[in-house]
Amino acid sequence: MMYSYVIRQGRIARQEKGASLEDAIWIDLIAPDKDETARLHELGVDVPTLADMEEIEISNRLYRESGMDYMTAVLPGERGDGNRVAMPVSFILSPKRLVTVRHHSPRPFLTFPERGERSTLGCSTPHRLFIGLVEEIVARMADILEGSGRLLDDTTLMIFETQSARGQSDRLQAALRQVGREAEAMARIRLGLLTIERMLAFYIAAIDEQPESARLRPVIKGQLRDVQALEVHADFLGSRVSLAVDTTLGMINLEQNNTVRILSVVAALFLPPTLIASIYGMNFEVMPELDEVWGYPMALGLMAATAAATWLVLRWKRWL
């Protein structure tokens, strides 16, 4: 799938399907097929494959070729089946246009065309368009981290507050699953921030060649500071996730220990009566109590007395 955009009255406007790509300032490729790749090749753009984009070497993710900058970052988003993943997105920046290649749907690519003109530098040139899109991506990541922080607040409050024993284990297990999902989401955000930081560092190293470098450089440096601040915040949330996981596992262990303790107490209460019953269940010839009228009530009384004595001892030890 391919979308192409032009600038009309200072705003980003999508071209009709099949329109000429010569005037497009932004071409967005989503899992491009052979025909779409061939159309870009006619414009002098070599579209990387997914295998090329997934390579982790710097030379495969950040390089210059034929006067164009090829930059790849790993961004969180959704696949066609609705699963949330972190996949590479390539930004191909030339003096005439910006080309993006992706195989999933990060939300900023859906929202940026509607408000690109409101970015810091606008969207009048390919470089300003690229900086505005990165700004939208970083803002989206900040929103995700903020949402994760609020969810962690609610989850940890639920973990620490006193609740009734009924259903406590189920709530703790649900909290553990929720914290695990947020940990995975923050890991994707952390990876995205790291690759964006490397991408911006590569871009700013060669920005002196651009005619408006004096205007672009301060904005890019500001984005780098924002990315670094978000990385620190992501690390802080990661430590909170670790605390929440440890606390939840500790509460689950306490819940299980309480269950085991109750079973142990029940077994201890019935142990002395079981011993007495076992003694009088022996088939010895000389057991005088068996022939006495008071033998059966005495055995029952001994059983009750030993069970009560065991209960009192456990209460005195504060094991109940």
Side-chain angles (χ1 to χ4, degrees):
M1 187 179 298
M2 178 172 61
Y3 298 110
S4 59
Y5 301 88
V6 296
I7 301 299
R8 294 174 184 166
Q9 298 179 353
R11 303 189 63 180
I12 301 175
R14 182 188 295 181
Q15 287 185 305
E16 296 293 334
K17 187 176 181 180
S20 174
L21 300 179
E22 290 291 340
D23 298 329
I25 192 173
W26 178 22
I27 301 174
D28 186 25
L29 296 173
I30 308 171
D33 54 26
K34 293 182 179 180
D35 294 336
E36 294 168 345
T37 302
R39 292 185 66 184
L40 267 295
H41 188 70
E42 294 175 357
L43 297 176
V45 179
D46 185 15
V47 178
T49 63
L50 179 59
D52 294 333
M53 296 164 59
E54 289 178 338
E55 293 289 341
I56 62 174
E57 289 86 355
I58 294 294
S59 59
N60 287 333
R61 289 194 170 182
L62 304 170
Y63 60 94
R64 171 165 286 192
E65 185 177 87
S66 302
M68 291 179 285
D69 293 327
Y70 287 75
M71 298 168 286
T72 301
V74 180
L75 304 181
E78 289 187 359
R79 301 189 65 173
D81 54 6
N83 292 327
R84 296 184 179 275
V85 294
M87 296 184 65
V89 176
S90 290
F91 300 83
I92 306 172
L93 188 58
S94 70
K96 291 184 178 181
R97 63 183 57 87
L98 169 67
V99 178
T100 54
V101 186
R102 54 192 174 96
H103 292 261
H104 67 314
S105 297
R107 186 170 177 79
F109 286 81
L110 305 177
T111 58
F112 181 67
E114 299 294 330
R115 51 191 181 192
E117 73 281 357
R118 290 179 288 185
S119 59
T120 303
L121 296 177
C123 54
S124 57
T125 67
H127 289 270
R128 294 189 177 208
L129 185 69
F130 167 72
I131 294 174
L133 181 56
V134 172
E135 183 179 304
E136 184 80 5
I137 293 170
V138 173
R140 173 61 180 168
M141 290 184 174
D143 292 340
I144 295 176
L145 288 178
E146 183 180 359
S148 296
R150 288 196 298 267
L151 194 144
L152 280 174
D153 290 338
D154 297 337
T155 304
T156 51
L157 179 62
M158 186 273 293
I159 294 171
F160 284 110
E161 69 181 0
T162 303
Q163 296 177 342
S164 60
R166 179 177 296 179
Q168 175 77 351
S169 180
D170 293 338
R171 285 191 290 269
L172 289 174
Q173 291 180 19
L176 187 60
R177 287 192 294 269
Q178 183 63 51
V179 171
R181 285 193 293 266
E182 292 305 313
E184 182 63 24
M186 280 185 282
R188 293 193 292 266
I189 293 296
R190 189 67 177 82
L191 177 60
L193 292 171
L194 175 62
T195 55
I196 288 176
E197 183 180 12
R198 292 165 63 182
M199 182 178 69
L200 291 178
F202 171 82
Y203 177 68
I204 200 172
I207 201 174
D208 291 335
E209 300 177 5
Q210 304 304 321
E212 53 179 357
S213 60
R215 183 70 180 93
L216 299 178
R217 185 182 295 275
V219 178
I220 299 173
K221 288 185 175 180
Q223 289 184 351
L224 278 171
R225 288 191 295 269
D226 291 342
V227 169
Q228 292 165 357
L230 288 177
E231 287 176 340
V232 173
H233 186 56
D235 291 339
F236 166 70
L237 291 179
S239 64
R240 290 192 60 195
V241 166
S242 299
L243 174 62
V245 170
D246 293 341
T247 303
T248 305
L249 291 176
M251 297 293 287
I252 291 175
N253 289 334
L254 288 176
E255 189 73 16
Q256 293 175 344
N257 290 340
N258 287 334
T259 302
V260 173
R261 184 177 63 178
I262 292 173
L263 294 176
S264 301
V265 168
V266 172
L269 289 176
F270 281 95
L271 187 59
T274 302
L275 175 62
I276 295 172
S278 299
I279 292 173
Y280 283 104
M282 297 178 183
N283 296 320
F284 292 113
E285 293 183 359
V286 182
M287 294 186 74
E289 297 90 344
L290 298 180
D291 297 328
E292 299 296 337
V293 177
W294 46 265
Y296 178 64
M298 182 200 70
L300 293 179
L302 280 175
M303 293 180 187
T306 54
T310 303
W311 183 82
L312 291 173
V313 170
L314 294 178
R315 290 285 293 181
W316 175 61
K317 292 288 187 179
R318 296 185 179 179
W319 293 347
L320 288 176

